[in-house]
Amino acid sequence: MSRIRNVFGLLDQHILNSGYSLTEARVLFEISKTDCCTANQLCSILEMDRSYMSRVIRKFERDGLIIRHTDDQDGRNLKIHLTEKGNAVFQELNNRSNEQIANIIAKLNSADCEELIHAMRTVKKHISLATKNILIRPFRESDVAYVIDRQLSLYQSERHFTTDIWKKYLTQGVLELIGKFDAERDCVFILECNGSPAGCIAITHAENGAAQLRYFLLEPEMRGLGMGTALLNKALDFCREKKYSHVFLWTVSAQETARKLYGKAGFARTETGKNDSWGAPVLEEKWELDL
């Protein structure tokens, strides 16, 4: 245990040299994940003391990293979002921590790296499942903004989808699903961790009695815990319950982890096509499954 603490202490000190602690970097990370959040949400996600969180938020505000404004729907809450400077500082901290970790493992050979990765995944899985309250529930109206915002944010950071065409396609698609939602044929499930959304998946009715799987998302910190498989199985169980005989989905070839899940679930790739309109060239893929 002391060796683990020493490693984390090394990482913490490295970030402290920039003027921000590892904990403060984690707070910045959580703020960066969404357009707006509140201090209460941050306390819940990070399991931090409210008074300590208040000090961190005040420091960020003094440094010009965040802006706070009154929530239009609840005047008692102050919404927090990163400034341009705040986003730049977060990216710098993130790069520094990544470089520090890279330097630590640079001396390992490929076999040692694979062993380390496997061990870290095992530790992460068992600790996360033992310490977090994780459940899958039907969506609520308040989840709609989460589904849209996180899809846009993650695809921007991970796939560089940034064009207005992409944003319109994603946003209008989600709103159309909700606007035409039929509980007998459609579903949206939310993965929840410690009371906060941490992933989602949807089934919507399509032409010829088929079901389309859409908006499959998993927060980075929830990956590697088996939650992607759990969400996918939940959606497919819904399809079977509603007597769908055919399910299809569209993805891109770069979504390697998701594609592996689809293959394990019995989906087969049936169609491909290039798309250059979303900000980064991608190969779109259609996957289909007969139930």
Short mmCIF file of all heavy atoms in Angstrom, two decimals, residues 214-279:
data_model
loop_
_atom_site.label_atom_id
_atom_site.label_comp_id
_atom_site.label_asym_id
_atom_site.label_seq_id
_atom_site.Cartn_x
_atom_site.Cartn_y
_atom_site.Cartn_z
N ARG A 214 -29.38 3.12 -30.58
CA ARG A 214 -28.78 4.43 -30.75
C ARG A 214 -28.23 4.97 -29.42
O ARG A 214 -28.58 4.48 -28.35
CB ARG A 214 -29.79 5.44 -31.32
CG ARG A 214 -30.51 4.97 -32.57
CD ARG A 214 -31.29 6.11 -33.21
NE ARG A 214 -30.39 7.06 -33.86
CZ ARG A 214 -30.82 8.15 -34.51
NH1 ARG A 214 -32.12 8.44 -34.55
NH2 ARG A 214 -29.96 8.97 -35.10
N TYR A 215 -27.39 5.99 -29.54
CA TYR A 215 -26.92 6.80 -28.41
C TYR A 215 -26.31 5.96 -27.28
O TYR A 215 -26.58 6.17 -26.11
CB TYR A 215 -28.06 7.67 -27.88
CG TYR A 215 -28.77 8.42 -28.99
CD1 TYR A 215 -30.12 8.24 -29.23
CD2 TYR A 215 -28.04 9.23 -29.86
CE1 TYR A 215 -30.74 8.89 -30.30
CE2 TYR A 215 -28.66 9.88 -30.93
CZ TYR A 215 -30.01 9.70 -31.13
OH TYR A 215 -30.62 10.33 -32.20
N PHE A 216 -25.48 5.01 -27.69
CA PHE A 216 -24.77 4.14 -26.75
C PHE A 216 -23.53 4.90 -26.27
O PHE A 216 -22.61 5.17 -27.05
CB PHE A 216 -24.38 2.84 -27.46
CG PHE A 216 -23.80 1.78 -26.57
CD1 PHE A 216 -23.87 1.85 -25.19
CD2 PHE A 216 -23.18 0.67 -27.13
CE1 PHE A 216 -23.34 0.87 -24.38
CE2 PHE A 216 -22.64 -0.33 -26.34
CZ PHE A 216 -22.72 -0.22 -24.96
N LEU A 217 -23.50 5.22 -25.00
CA LEU A 217 -22.44 6.06 -24.43
C LEU A 217 -22.05 5.53 -23.07
O LEU A 217 -22.90 5.11 -22.29
CB LEU A 217 -22.92 7.51 -24.33
CG LEU A 217 -22.03 8.55 -23.64
CD1 LEU A 217 -22.28 9.92 -24.26
CD2 LEU A 217 -22.32 8.62 -22.13
N LEU A 218 -20.75 5.58 -22.77
CA LEU A 218 -20.25 5.19 -21.46
C LEU A 218 -19.18 6.19 -21.07
O LEU A 218 -18.24 6.45 -21.83
CB LEU A 218 -19.66 3.78 -21.51
CG LEU A 218 -19.58 2.98 -20.21
CD1 LEU A 218 -20.96 2.78 -19.61
CD2 LEU A 218 -18.90 1.64 -20.46
N GLU A 219 -19.32 6.77 -19.88
CA GLU A 219 -18.32 7.72 -19.42
C GLU A 219 -16.97 7.02 -19.30
O GLU A 219 -16.89 5.84 -18.95
CB GLU A 219 -18.72 8.29 -18.06
CG GLU A 219 -19.96 9.16 -18.07
CD GLU A 219 -19.74 10.49 -18.78
OE1 GLU A 219 -18.59 10.82 -19.12
OE2 GLU A 219 -20.75 11.21 -18.98
N PRO A 220 -15.88 7.72 -19.61
CA PRO A 220 -14.55 7.09 -19.59
C PRO A 220 -14.23 6.36 -18.30
O PRO A 220 -13.63 5.28 -18.32
CB PRO A 220 -13.61 8.28 -19.81
CG PRO A 220 -14.42 9.26 -20.61
CD PRO A 220 -15.82 9.12 -20.08
N GLU A 221 -14.63 6.93 -17.15
CA GLU A 221 -14.29 6.30 -15.88
C GLU A 221 -15.09 5.02 -15.61
O GLU A 221 -14.76 4.26 -14.71
CB GLU A 221 -14.49 7.28 -14.72
CG GLU A 221 -15.92 7.76 -14.53
CD GLU A 221 -16.23 9.03 -15.30
OE1 GLU A 221 -15.53 9.31 -16.29
OE2 GLU A 221 -17.18 9.72 -14.90
N MET A 222 -16.13 4.77 -16.40
CA MET A 222 -16.94 3.58 -16.22
C MET A 222 -16.54 2.46 -17.18
O MET A 222 -17.07 1.35 -17.10
CB MET A 222 -18.43 3.91 -16.45
CG MET A 222 -18.99 4.95 -15.50
SD MET A 222 -18.83 4.48 -13.76
CE MET A 222 -19.87 3.02 -13.70
N ARG A 223 -15.62 2.73 -18.06
CA ARG A 223 -15.20 1.72 -19.03
C ARG A 223 -14.30 0.68 -18.36
O ARG A 223 -13.55 0.98 -17.45
CB ARG A 223 -14.48 2.41 -20.20
CG ARG A 223 -15.39 3.35 -20.96
CD ARG A 223 -14.65 4.23 -21.95
NE ARG A 223 -15.55 5.22 -22.54
CZ ARG A 223 -15.15 6.21 -23.34
NH1 ARG A 223 -13.88 6.34 -23.64
NH2 ARG A 223 -16.04 7.07 -23.82
N GLY A 224 -14.40 -0.53 -18.85
CA GLY A 224 -13.61 -1.62 -18.28
C GLY A 224 -14.24 -2.30 -17.09
O GLY A 224 -13.62 -3.17 -16.48
N LEU A 225 -15.47 -1.94 -16.76
CA LEU A 225 -16.15 -2.52 -15.60
C LEU A 225 -17.27 -3.48 -15.99
O LEU A 225 -17.97 -3.99 -15.12
CB LEU A 225 -16.74 -1.40 -14.72
CG LEU A 225 -15.79 -0.31 -14.25
CD1 LEU A 225 -16.54 0.72 -13.41
CD2 LEU A 225 -14.64 -0.90 -13.46
N GLY A 226 -17.45 -3.70 -17.27
CA GLY A 226 -18.54 -4.55 -17.72
C GLY A 226 -19.86 -3.82 -17.88
O GLY A 226 -20.89 -4.44 -18.18
N MET A 227 -19.85 -2.50 -17.71
CA MET A 227 -21.09 -1.74 -17.79
C MET A 227 -21.58 -1.56 -19.23
O MET A 227 -22.78 -1.42 -19.47
CB MET A 227 -20.90 -0.36 -17.13
CG MET A 227 -20.65 -0.40 -15.63
SD MET A 227 -22.04 -1.14 -14.72
CE MET A 227 -21.39 -2.79 -14.38
N GLY A 228 -20.65 -1.54 -20.19
CA GLY A 228 -21.06 -1.47 -21.59
C GLY A 228 -21.86 -2.70 -21.98
O GLY A 228 -22.90 -2.60 -22.63
N THR A 229 -21.37 -3.86 -21.58
CA THR A 229 -22.09 -5.11 -21.83
C THR A 229 -23.44 -5.11 -21.15
O THR A 229 -24.45 -5.55 -21.71
CB THR A 229 -21.25 -6.31 -21.35
OG1 THR A 229 -20.03 -6.36 -22.08
CG2 THR A 229 -22.01 -7.62 -21.57
N ALA A 230 -23.48 -4.60 -19.91
CA ALA A 230 -24.74 -4.55 -19.17
C ALA A 230 -25.77 -3.66 -19.86
O ALA A 230 -26.95 -4.02 -19.96
CB ALA A 230 -24.49 -4.06 -17.74
N LEU A 231 -25.34 -2.50 -20.34
CA LEU A 231 -26.25 -1.61 -21.06
C LEU A 231 -26.75 -2.24 -22.35
O LEU A 231 -27.95 -2.19 -22.67
CB LEU A 231 -25.55 -0.28 -21.38
CG LEU A 231 -25.56 0.80 -20.31
CD1 LEU A 231 -24.68 1.96 -20.73
CD2 LEU A 231 -26.98 1.29 -20.03
N LEU A 232 -25.83 -2.84 -23.10
CA LEU A 232 -26.21 -3.47 -24.36
C LEU A 232 -27.20 -4.61 -24.13
O LEU A 232 -28.20 -4.74 -24.84
CB LEU A 232 -24.97 -3.97 -25.09
CG LEU A 232 -25.19 -4.62 -26.46
CD1 LEU A 232 -25.89 -3.67 -27.42
CD2 LEU A 232 -23.86 -5.08 -27.06
N ASN A 233 -26.94 -5.43 -23.13
CA ASN A 233 -27.86 -6.54 -22.83
C ASN A 233 -29.22 -6.02 -22.39
O ASN A 233 -30.26 -6.62 -22.73
CB ASN A 233 -27.26 -7.42 -21.73
CG ASN A 233 -26.09 -8.26 -22.21
OD1 ASN A 233 -25.92 -8.46 -23.42
ND2 ASN A 233 -25.28 -8.74 -21.29
N LYS A 234 -29.23 -4.92 -21.65
CA LYS A 234 -30.50 -4.33 -21.22
C LYS A 234 -31.32 -3.90 -22.42
O LYS A 234 -32.54 -4.14 -22.49
CB LYS A 234 -30.22 -3.12 -20.31
CG LYS A 234 -31.45 -2.49 -19.68
CD LYS A 234 -31.97 -3.30 -18.51
CE LYS A 234 -33.05 -2.57 -17.74
NZ LYS A 234 -33.57 -3.37 -16.62
N ALA A 235 -30.68 -3.28 -23.39
CA ALA A 235 -31.39 -2.83 -24.60
C ALA A 235 -31.88 -4.02 -25.42
O ALA A 235 -33.02 -4.00 -25.92
CB ALA A 235 -30.46 -1.95 -25.43
N LEU A 236 -31.07 -5.05 -25.56
CA LEU A 236 -31.47 -6.21 -26.34
C LEU A 236 -32.57 -7.00 -25.63
O LEU A 236 -33.46 -7.57 -26.29
CB LEU A 236 -30.25 -7.10 -26.62
CG LEU A 236 -29.18 -6.48 -27.53
CD1 LEU A 236 -28.02 -7.44 -27.72
CD2 LEU A 236 -29.78 -6.08 -28.89
N ASP A 237 -32.53 -7.05 -24.31
CA ASP A 237 -33.62 -7.70 -23.56
C ASP A 237 -34.94 -6.96 -23.81
O ASP A 237 -36.00 -7.59 -23.93
CB ASP A 237 -33.30 -7.71 -22.07
CG ASP A 237 -32.23 -8.73 -21.71
OD1 ASP A 237 -31.94 -9.61 -22.55
OD2 ASP A 237 -31.68 -8.63 -20.60
N PHE A 238 -34.88 -5.64 -23.89
CA PHE A 238 -36.08 -4.86 -24.20
C PHE A 238 -36.61 -5.24 -25.58
O PHE A 238 -37.83 -5.42 -25.77
CB PHE A 238 -35.76 -3.37 -24.16
CG PHE A 238 -36.89 -2.48 -24.63
CD1 PHE A 238 -37.89 -2.06 -23.76
CD2 PHE A 238 -36.96 -2.06 -25.96
CE1 PHE A 238 -38.92 -1.25 -24.19
CE2 PHE A 238 -37.99 -1.25 -26.40
CZ PHE A 238 -38.98 -0.85 -25.51
N CYS A 239 -35.71 -5.38 -26.55
CA CYS A 239 -36.12 -5.76 -27.91
C CYS A 239 -36.80 -7.12 -27.93
O CYS A 239 -37.82 -7.31 -28.61
CB CYS A 239 -34.91 -5.76 -28.84
SG CYS A 239 -34.20 -4.13 -29.17
N ARG A 240 -36.26 -8.04 -27.18
CA ARG A 240 -36.86 -9.38 -27.13
C ARG A 240 -38.23 -9.33 -26.44
O ARG A 240 -39.17 -9.99 -26.87
CB ARG A 240 -35.93 -10.35 -26.41
CG ARG A 240 -34.61 -10.58 -27.15
CD ARG A 240 -33.75 -11.63 -26.45
NE ARG A 240 -32.51 -11.86 -27.18
CZ ARG A 240 -31.34 -11.28 -26.89
NH1 ARG A 240 -31.28 -10.43 -25.86
NH2 ARG A 240 -30.27 -11.53 -27.61
N GLU A 241 -38.30 -8.53 -25.37
CA GLU A 241 -39.56 -8.40 -24.64
C GLU A 241 -40.66 -7.82 -25.53
O GLU A 241 -41.82 -8.23 -25.45
CB GLU A 241 -39.36 -7.51 -23.42
CG GLU A 241 -40.62 -7.24 -22.61
CD GLU A 241 -40.39 -6.24 -21.50
OE1 GLU A 241 -39.23 -6.04 -21.10
OE2 GLU A 241 -41.38 -5.65 -21.03
N LYS A 242 -40.28 -6.88 -26.40
CA LYS A 242 -41.25 -6.22 -27.27
C LYS A 242 -41.42 -6.94 -28.61
O LYS A 242 -42.05 -6.42 -29.54
CB LYS A 242 -40.83 -4.77 -27.52
CG LYS A 242 -40.76 -3.93 -26.23
CD LYS A 242 -42.09 -3.93 -25.49
CE LYS A 242 -42.01 -3.13 -24.20
NZ LYS A 242 -43.31 -3.14 -23.45
N LYS A 243 -40.84 -8.14 -28.71
CA LYS A 243 -41.02 -9.02 -29.87
C LYS A 243 -40.41 -8.48 -31.15
O LYS A 243 -40.85 -8.80 -32.26
CB LYS A 243 -42.52 -9.31 -30.10
CG LYS A 243 -43.26 -9.81 -28.88
CD LYS A 243 -42.66 -11.09 -28.32
CE LYS A 243 -43.46 -11.60 -27.12
NZ LYS A 243 -42.84 -12.81 -26.51
N TYR A 244 -39.37 -7.67 -31.04
CA TYR A 244 -38.62 -7.29 -32.24
C TYR A 244 -37.87 -8.51 -32.74
O TYR A 244 -37.31 -9.28 -31.95
CB TYR A 244 -37.62 -6.18 -31.92
CG TYR A 244 -38.20 -4.79 -31.82
CD1 TYR A 244 -38.26 -4.12 -30.61
CD2 TYR A 244 -38.67 -4.14 -32.96
CE1 TYR A 244 -38.78 -2.84 -30.51
CE2 TYR A 244 -39.20 -2.86 -32.87
CZ TYR A 244 -39.24 -2.21 -31.65
OH TYR A 244 -39.77 -0.94 -31.58
N SER A 245 -37.83 -8.67 -34.03
CA SER A 245 -37.09 -9.79 -34.61
C SER A 245 -35.77 -9.35 -35.24
O SER A 245 -34.93 -10.19 -35.59
CB SER A 245 -37.94 -10.49 -35.67
OG SER A 245 -38.28 -9.60 -36.72
N HIS A 246 -35.60 -8.03 -35.38
CA HIS A 246 -34.39 -7.52 -36.05
C HIS A 246 -33.96 -6.21 -35.41
O HIS A 246 -34.78 -5.33 -35.14
CB HIS A 246 -34.67 -7.31 -37.54
CG HIS A 246 -33.45 -6.95 -38.34
ND1 HIS A 246 -32.50 -7.87 -38.69
CD2 HIS A 246 -33.01 -5.76 -38.84
CE1 HIS A 246 -31.54 -7.27 -39.38
NE2 HIS A 246 -31.82 -5.98 -39.47
N VAL A 247 -32.65 -6.08 -35.15
CA VAL A 247 -32.08 -4.86 -34.58
C VAL A 247 -30.90 -4.43 -35.45
O VAL A 247 -30.11 -5.27 -35.90
CB VAL A 247 -31.58 -5.08 -33.14
CG1 VAL A 247 -31.16 -3.75 -32.51
CG2 VAL A 247 -32.62 -5.78 -32.30
N PHE A 248 -30.78 -3.13 -35.69
CA PHE A 248 -29.63 -2.63 -36.42
C PHE A 248 -29.09 -1.37 -35.73
O PHE A 248 -29.77 -0.74 -34.92
CB PHE A 248 -29.96 -2.34 -37.88
CG PHE A 248 -30.85 -1.14 -38.10
CD1 PHE A 248 -30.30 0.11 -38.36
CD2 PHE A 248 -32.23 -1.26 -38.05
CE1 PHE A 248 -31.11 1.22 -38.56
CE2 PHE A 248 -33.04 -0.16 -38.25
CZ PHE A 248 -32.48 1.09 -38.51
N LEU A 249 -27.88 -1.01 -36.08
CA LEU A 249 -27.26 0.19 -35.54
C LEU A 249 -26.24 0.72 -36.54
O LEU A 249 -25.78 -0.01 -37.43
CB LEU A 249 -26.57 -0.10 -34.20
CG LEU A 249 -25.42 -1.11 -34.22
CD1 LEU A 249 -24.05 -0.40 -34.40
CD2 LEU A 249 -25.40 -1.94 -32.94
N TRP A 250 -25.90 1.99 -36.37
CA TRP A 250 -24.82 2.61 -37.14
C TRP A 250 -23.73 3.05 -36.19
O TRP A 250 -24.00 3.60 -35.13
CB TRP A 250 -25.33 3.81 -37.93
CG TRP A 250 -26.14 3.45 -39.14
CD1 TRP A 250 -27.49 3.30 -39.23
CD2 TRP A 250 -25.63 3.16 -40.44
NE1 TRP A 250 -27.87 2.95 -40.50
CE2 TRP A 250 -26.74 2.85 -41.28
CE3 TRP A 250 -24.34 3.12 -41.00
CZ2 TRP A 250 -26.60 2.53 -42.62
CZ3 TRP A 250 -24.21 2.80 -42.34
CH2 TRP A 250 -25.32 2.51 -43.13
N THR A 251 -22.49 2.77 -36.54
CA THR A 251 -21.36 3.22 -35.75
C THR A 251 -20.25 3.63 -36.70
O THR A 251 -20.46 3.71 -37.92
CB THR A 251 -20.89 2.11 -34.78
OG1 THR A 251 -19.89 2.63 -33.91
CG2 THR A 251 -20.35 0.91 -35.53
N VAL A 252 -19.07 3.91 -36.18
CA VAL A 252 -17.91 4.22 -37.02
C VAL A 252 -16.80 3.25 -36.68
O VAL A 252 -16.72 2.72 -35.57
CB VAL A 252 -17.44 5.67 -36.84
CG1 VAL A 252 -18.52 6.64 -37.29
CG2 VAL A 252 -17.03 5.97 -35.41
N SER A 253 -15.93 3.00 -37.64
CA SER A 253 -14.91 1.96 -37.47
C SER A 253 -13.95 2.26 -36.32
O SER A 253 -13.36 1.35 -35.75
CB SER A 253 -14.12 1.81 -38.77
OG SER A 253 -13.49 3.04 -39.14
N ALA A 254 -13.82 3.55 -35.95
CA ALA A 254 -12.90 3.92 -34.87
C ALA A 254 -13.41 3.50 -33.49
O ALA A 254 -12.64 3.46 -32.53
CB ALA A 254 -12.64 5.42 -34.89
N GLN A 255 -14.70 3.19 -33.39
CA GLN A 255 -15.28 2.78 -32.10
C GLN A 255 -14.96 1.31 -31.84
O GLN A 255 -15.85 0.45 -31.80
CB GLN A 255 -16.79 3.01 -32.11
CG GLN A 255 -17.20 4.48 -32.25
CD GLN A 255 -16.94 5.26 -31.00
OE1 GLN A 255 -15.85 5.76 -30.77
NE2 GLN A 255 -17.95 5.37 -30.15
N GLU A 256 -13.69 1.01 -31.63
CA GLU A 256 -13.25 -0.37 -31.58
C GLU A 256 -13.86 -1.16 -30.42
O GLU A 256 -14.26 -2.31 -30.58
CB GLU A 256 -11.72 -0.41 -31.51
CG GLU A 256 -11.03 0.14 -32.75
CD GLU A 256 -9.53 0.07 -32.65
OE1 GLU A 256 -9.02 -0.43 -31.64
OE2 GLU A 256 -8.85 0.51 -33.60
N THR A 257 -13.91 -0.54 -29.25
CA THR A 257 -14.44 -1.26 -28.08
C THR A 257 -15.91 -1.59 -28.28
O THR A 257 -16.36 -2.72 -28.00
CB THR A 257 -14.26 -0.42 -26.81
OG1 THR A 257 -12.87 -0.15 -26.62
CG2 THR A 257 -14.79 -1.17 -25.59
N ALA A 258 -16.69 -0.61 -28.75
CA ALA A 258 -18.11 -0.85 -28.98
C ALA A 258 -18.31 -1.93 -30.04
O ALA A 258 -19.19 -2.79 -29.91
CB ALA A 258 -18.80 0.45 -29.40
N ARG A 259 -17.49 -1.90 -31.09
CA ARG A 259 -17.62 -2.89 -32.16
C ARG A 259 -17.38 -4.30 -31.64
O ARG A 259 -18.02 -5.27 -32.08
CB ARG A 259 -16.66 -2.56 -33.30
CG ARG A 259 -17.03 -1.27 -34.02
CD ARG A 259 -15.91 -0.77 -34.92
NE ARG A 259 -15.85 -1.52 -36.16
CZ ARG A 259 -14.89 -2.38 -36.47
NH1 ARG A 259 -13.94 -2.65 -35.58
NH2 ARG A 259 -14.89 -3.00 -37.64
N LYS A 260 -16.45 -4.44 -30.69
CA LYS A 260 -16.20 -5.75 -30.09
C LYS A 260 -17.43 -6.23 -29.31
O LYS A 260 -17.78 -7.42 -29.36
CB LYS A 260 -14.98 -5.69 -29.18
CG LYS A 260 -13.66 -5.52 -29.91
CD LYS A 260 -12.50 -5.44 -28.93
CE LYS A 260 -11.18 -5.25 -29.67
NZ LYS A 260 -10.03 -5.13 -28.72
N LEU A 261 -18.08 -5.30 -28.61
CA LEU A 261 -19.29 -5.66 -27.87
C LEU A 261 -20.39 -6.11 -28.83
O LEU A 261 -21.10 -7.08 -28.56
CB LEU A 261 -19.78 -4.47 -27.05
CG LEU A 261 -18.91 -4.05 -25.86
CD1 LEU A 261 -19.54 -2.86 -25.15
CD2 LEU A 261 -18.72 -5.20 -24.88
N TYR A 262 -20.53 -5.39 -29.94
CA TYR A 262 -21.55 -5.76 -30.91
C TYR A 262 -21.28 -7.15 -31.48
O TYR A 262 -22.20 -7.96 -31.63
CB TYR A 262 -21.60 -4.73 -32.06
CG TYR A 262 -21.91 -3.32 -31.61
CD1 TYR A 262 -21.30 -2.23 -32.22
CD2 TYR A 262 -22.79 -3.06 -30.56
CE1 TYR A 262 -21.57 -0.93 -31.83
CE2 TYR A 262 -23.06 -1.77 -30.16
CZ TYR A 262 -22.45 -0.71 -30.79
OH TYR A 262 -22.71 0.58 -30.39
N GLY A 263 -20.02 -7.43 -31.79
CA GLY A 263 -19.67 -8.74 -32.33
C GLY A 263 -19.97 -9.85 -31.34
O GLY A 263 -20.51 -10.90 -31.70
N LYS A 264 -19.64 -9.64 -30.07
CA LYS A 264 -19.90 -10.65 -29.04
C LYS A 264 -21.39 -10.88 -28.85
O LYS A 264 -21.81 -11.99 -28.49
CB LYS A 264 -19.25 -10.23 -27.72
CG LYS A 264 -17.73 -10.30 -27.72
CD LYS A 264 -17.17 -9.89 -26.37
CE LYS A 264 -15.65 -9.98 -26.36
NZ LYS A 264 -15.08 -9.56 -25.05
N ALA A 265 -22.19 -9.83 -29.08
CA ALA A 265 -23.63 -9.95 -28.90
C ALA A 265 -24.31 -10.60 -30.11
O ALA A 265 -25.51 -10.87 -30.07
CB ALA A 265 -24.25 -8.58 -28.65
N GLY A 266 -23.56 -10.84 -31.19
CA GLY A 266 -24.11 -11.51 -32.36
C GLY A 266 -24.37 -10.62 -33.55
O GLY A 266 -24.83 -11.09 -34.60
N PHE A 267 -24.10 -9.32 -33.43
CA PHE A 267 -24.26 -8.42 -34.55
C PHE A 267 -23.22 -8.73 -35.64
O PHE A 267 -22.12 -9.19 -35.34
CB PHE A 267 -24.08 -6.96 -34.12
CG PHE A 267 -25.25 -6.36 -33.40
CD1 PHE A 267 -25.38 -6.52 -32.03
CD2 PHE A 267 -26.22 -5.63 -34.08
CE1 PHE A 267 -26.44 -5.95 -31.34
CE2 PHE A 267 -27.28 -5.06 -33.40
CZ PHE A 267 -27.40 -5.23 -32.04
N ALA A 268 -23.58 -8.45 -36.87
CA ALA A 268 -22.66 -8.60 -37.99
C ALA A 268 -22.65 -7.31 -38.81
O ALA A 268 -23.70 -6.68 -39.00
CB ALA A 268 -23.06 -9.77 -38.89
N ARG A 269 -21.50 -6.93 -39.28
CA ARG A 269 -21.38 -5.72 -40.11
C ARG A 269 -21.90 -6.02 -41.50
O ARG A 269 -21.50 -7.00 -42.14
CB ARG A 269 -19.92 -5.27 -40.17
CG ARG A 269 -19.71 -3.95 -40.89
CD ARG A 269 -18.25 -3.55 -40.86
NE ARG A 269 -17.41 -4.60 -41.44
CZ ARG A 269 -16.08 -4.56 -41.47
NH1 ARG A 269 -15.44 -3.53 -40.94
NH2 ARG A 269 -15.39 -5.55 -42.00
N THR A 270 -22.82 -5.19 -41.99
CA THR A 270 -23.46 -5.47 -43.27
C THR A 270 -23.29 -4.36 -44.31
O THR A 270 -23.60 -4.57 -45.48
CB THR A 270 -24.98 -5.69 -43.07
OG1 THR A 270 -25.55 -4.51 -42.48
CG2 THR A 270 -25.23 -6.89 -42.17
N GLU A 271 -22.80 -3.21 -43.89
CA GLU A 271 -22.73 -2.08 -44.83
C GLU A 271 -21.70 -1.08 -44.32
O GLU A 271 -21.54 -0.89 -43.11
CB GLU A 271 -24.10 -1.42 -44.93
CG GLU A 271 -24.23 -0.35 -45.99
CD GLU A 271 -25.65 0.20 -46.06
OE1 GLU A 271 -26.59 -0.54 -45.68
OE2 GLU A 271 -25.81 1.37 -46.50
N THR A 272 -20.98 -0.43 -45.23
CA THR A 272 -20.01 0.61 -44.86
C THR A 272 -20.13 1.78 -45.83
O THR A 272 -20.60 1.63 -46.95
CB THR A 272 -18.56 0.09 -44.88
OG1 THR A 272 -18.24 -0.33 -46.22
CG2 THR A 272 -18.38 -1.07 -43.92
N GLY A 273 -19.70 2.94 -45.36
CA GLY A 273 -19.72 4.13 -46.22
C GLY A 273 -18.89 5.25 -45.61
O GLY A 273 -18.88 5.43 -44.39
N LYS A 274 -18.19 6.01 -46.45
CA LYS A 274 -17.36 7.10 -45.96
C LYS A 274 -18.22 8.32 -45.63
O LYS A 274 -19.21 8.59 -46.30
CB LYS A 274 -16.31 7.48 -47.01
CG LYS A 274 -15.27 6.39 -47.25
CD LYS A 274 -14.23 6.84 -48.27
CE LYS A 274 -13.18 5.76 -48.51
NZ LYS A 274 -12.17 6.18 -49.51
N ASN A 275 -17.80 9.05 -44.60
CA ASN A 275 -18.49 10.27 -44.20
C ASN A 275 -17.44 11.33 -43.85
O ASN A 275 -16.63 11.13 -42.95
CB ASN A 275 -19.39 10.02 -42.99
CG ASN A 275 -20.26 11.21 -42.63
OD1 ASN A 275 -19.90 12.35 -42.87
ND2 ASN A 275 -21.41 10.95 -42.03
N ASP A 276 -17.47 12.45 -44.56
CA ASP A 276 -16.50 13.53 -44.34
C ASP A 276 -17.15 14.79 -43.80
O ASP A 276 -16.52 15.86 -43.80
CB ASP A 276 -15.78 13.87 -45.65
CG ASP A 276 -15.01 12.70 -46.22
OD1 ASP A 276 -14.44 11.92 -45.42
OD2 ASP A 276 -14.98 12.55 -47.46
N SER A 277 -18.39 14.69 -43.30
CA SER A 277 -19.15 15.90 -42.98
C SER A 277 -19.19 16.23 -41.49
O SER A 277 -19.79 17.23 -41.10
CB SER A 277 -20.58 15.77 -43.50
OG SER A 277 -21.27 14.71 -42.84
N TRP A 278 -18.55 15.42 -40.65
CA TRP A 278 -18.69 15.61 -39.21
C TRP A 278 -17.49 16.27 -38.54
O TRP A 278 -17.50 16.50 -37.34
CB TRP A 278 -18.99 14.29 -38.53
CG TRP A 278 -20.35 13.76 -38.84
CD1 TRP A 278 -21.40 14.45 -39.40
CD2 TRP A 278 -20.84 12.43 -38.61
NE1 TRP A 278 -22.50 13.64 -39.54
CE2 TRP A 278 -22.19 12.40 -39.06
CE3 TRP A 278 -20.28 11.27 -38.08
CZ2 TRP A 278 -22.97 11.25 -38.99
CZ3 TRP A 278 -21.05 10.13 -38.00
CH2 TRP A 278 -22.39 10.12 -38.46
N GLY A 279 -16.44 16.54 -39.30
CA GLY A 279 -15.27 17.19 -38.75
C GLY A 279 -14.01 16.37 -38.87
O GLY A 279 -12.90 16.91 -38.88
#
